[in-house]
Amino acid sequence: MAEPIRYPETIPAMTEHLLERLSGVVPDYELALKAELAVEVNRLKRELGAVILGHNYMEPALYHSVPDFTGDSLYLSRVAAKAEAEVIVFCGVRFMAETAKILNPSRLVLLPSPKGGCSLAESIRAEDVRALRALHPGVPVVSYVNTYADVKAESDYCCTSGNAEEVVRELQRQGHARVIFLPDQYLASNVARETGMAIVFPARGAAGLARAADPANLTRVMVGWQGRCEVHEKFTVLDIARVREQFPDVVVLAHPECSPEVVAASDFSGSTTAMIRYVEKLERGRVLLLTECSMGDNIVARNPEREMLRLCSIRCPHMGEISLEQTLESLRQKRYTIDVPEPIRARARAALDRMIGIG
Ligand code: 13P
Ligand code: SF4
């Protein structure tokens, strides 16, 4: 694991640091205000013995001033599992903070927003997983980490966008020709294609589930669910075509929560951290990122020579809930506490541990 990120401790030094990173991305007068907040957040963080984890989608001023660790869901869950700090503040969404609590239950885990939802996590309930299991006895269930604890508890494995393919390949190696993969329709379709599986989707309700019970005579079959990310589902092949027409040299990167057509029309698809690494290794300049827009700002802040094209009318409202102001109040008031009932936590933990065990 990397060393924690260090930040300036005084307001003038923090202002200078933020101006150096973000001038041109965030107005300078706003950065001066953000610097004051960030210095106070970091002071309180030290006083309380807290650690702050920041997802790659955090707004630029927060991302570059307070998280001890930044990364994608997979990396941050690994950091959370090993965190020795008494308090973990998760600058991300609820399912991420819940994952931290599941992996490190003796810590006080705080989410700076009372909401911090996710359209994928909200698309499926524990009873849906139980119904699918009843229809496909013996078929292992893989749940995307973008689910709540009770859904993880009904699953055999979790996965993230960074290791979904690896988890399904491991199940194939164990001799499973069928896998239930929930709840992201598009991530499942992308992984099914990469791993040579056909995919079927139950329509909602008992009748629809029954139709998915017998996926014909297909041998390698993934049973999916029709959840979608409200951000990534909006990107289209036409968006890519239009940008390529105007900028023929553009390199297009799509998160695997985008549709299979969008992923196929892109040059690279991977987790948020995989996309950052890909951009940082590119020899030349112009990139189109099909993901939450803050990440483009965060990349440009560290790689000013990159020209980042984004379709910023599409934002994640849940990630956007988390601000420096909310993070400061979270530390001051020790809010909003994440709790997971023990029987659910223990079973969810087993699914996460199996994922982490895969590597
Ligand atoms: P990553 O696991 O790639 O960071 O993605 C999480 C997410 O919610 C993407 O929308
Ligand atoms: Fe959920 Fe999509 Fe937002 Fe990620 S971008 S947190 S998948 S709604």
Side-chain angles (χ1 to χ4, degrees), residues 3 35 46 80 84 116 131 153 158 165 182 184 193 203 205 213 261 270 279 296-297 306 318 327 331 350:
E3 286 295 306
R46 286 191 296 276
E84 284 171 10
C158 287
E165 186 184 333
L182 311 167
D184 187 348
R193 200 195 50 238
E261 296 76 24
V279 174
D297 292 333
R306 292 277 169 262
H318 314 290
T327 306
L331 284 162

Side-chain angles (χ1 to χ4, degrees), residues 55-57 71-74 93 95-96 118 120 144-146 160-162 229 231-232 255-257 270-273 275 291-292 319:
H55 186 262
N56 290 325
Y57 287 167
D72 61 9
S73 312
L74 182 59
V93 287
F95 75 79
M96 296 178 176
C118 168
L120 282 170
Y144 193 27
V145 75
N146 298 36
T160 73
S161 62
C229 163
V231 177
H232 293 94
H255 194 274
E257 291 167 10
S271 78
T272 53
T273 292
M275 287 197 271
T291 197
E292 156 60 38
M319 290 284 182

